[in-house]
Amino acid sequence: MTDTPAALREAHHADVSGGWLRPAVFGAMDGLVTNIALIAGVGGGGVSAHSIVLTGTAGLVAGAISMGLGEYTSVRSANEQVAAEVAKERRELERHPEAEARELSDAWVARGLPRDLADQVAEAVRRNPEEALRVHVREELGVDPDEQPSPWAAAVSSFLCFSVGALIPLLSYLLGSTSLALALTVGGVGLFAAGAVVARFTHRPWWAGGLRQLLLGAAAAAATYLIGMLIGVQGGLG
């Protein structure tokens, strides 16, 4: 059997241009940390289980809506900025095609291409206006005008993943438990699992990704718990 070259055995690259992975990861982590911290804070203040559920549910709904709207606005604004720069580059190519071709050639020479070859390639690209536009945008802006992230994909993935993440530390209360320690433990397990899953996308050790997220969430929960406890104690003294 003929050996397959190592490069051909490699799996295809992950799709990083669709605009869903970053907001999904950010949404899930933010949902987990936000509601773990909220539950720890109000739980540290000594409120009832009902109040904790109410606070956590309000945090879930408000946070999910905020994340979805924020991601949509952010990605949409970034895409509009790219579109404006692409339009500007198109005008420059129409008005000064020779100067733009020379600029492209200079960029390739700076990367080590011989001047003659760089000039030939830049001239060949110039003859195809649409390809010239794509090449110039990639070289000058560092983006691909044909592969911009979807604001809807970002918004929906962020909304859903925040909701799921924020629900996890509430699960034990929704199932009838009144133990703050159990809720925080469930939230910690969720943080570790989410970090481990994300590590699969980035090729980091799963345990390192999980432990990092667990420690960050624990720090947030400890801070809000102490603040809630201090406010609760002061309120009781008053």
Side-chain angles (χ1 to χ4, degrees), residues 25-91:
V25 171
F26 183 50
M29 296 304 180
D30 196 23
L32 276 162
V33 174
T34 296
N35 252 16
I36 288 172
L38 274 174
I39 289 171
V42 295
V47 303
S48 66
H50 175 75
S51 295
I52 291 177
V53 171
L54 178 61
T55 301
T57 302
L60 186 158
V61 174
I65 293 173
S66 176
M67 287 290 293
L69 292 177
E71 284 293 341
Y72 178 85
T73 303
S74 175
V75 175
R76 182 68 180 269
S77 299
N79 287 355
E80 289 172 348
Q81 183 181 25
V82 170
E85 292 299 321
V86 170
K88 178 181 178 182
E89 189 63 32
R90 187 188 296 275
R91 291 192 298 270

Side-chain angles (χ1 to χ4, degrees), residues 184-234:
L184 295 180
T185 299
V186 172
V189 171
L191 276 172
F192 186 88
V197 170
V198 171
R200 297 282 295 174
F201 289 99
T202 60
H203 304 291
R204 287 170 49 87
W206 64 269
W207 57 267
L211 185 60
R212 179 178 65 178
Q213 293 306 134
L214 177 60
L215 291 175
L216 291 174
T224 55
Y225 180 85
L226 290 174
I227 292 172
M229 186 173 62
L230 289 173
I231 293 175
V233 169
Q234 290 176 356

Side-chain angles (χ1 to χ4, degrees), residues 17 82 86 130-131 134 137-138 143-149:
S17 62
V82 170
V86 170
E130 289 303 314
E131 183 61 26
R134 283 191 288 271
V137 170
R138 291 191 194 105
V143 298
D144 190 330
D146 297 327
E147 295 186 3
Q148 293 305 295

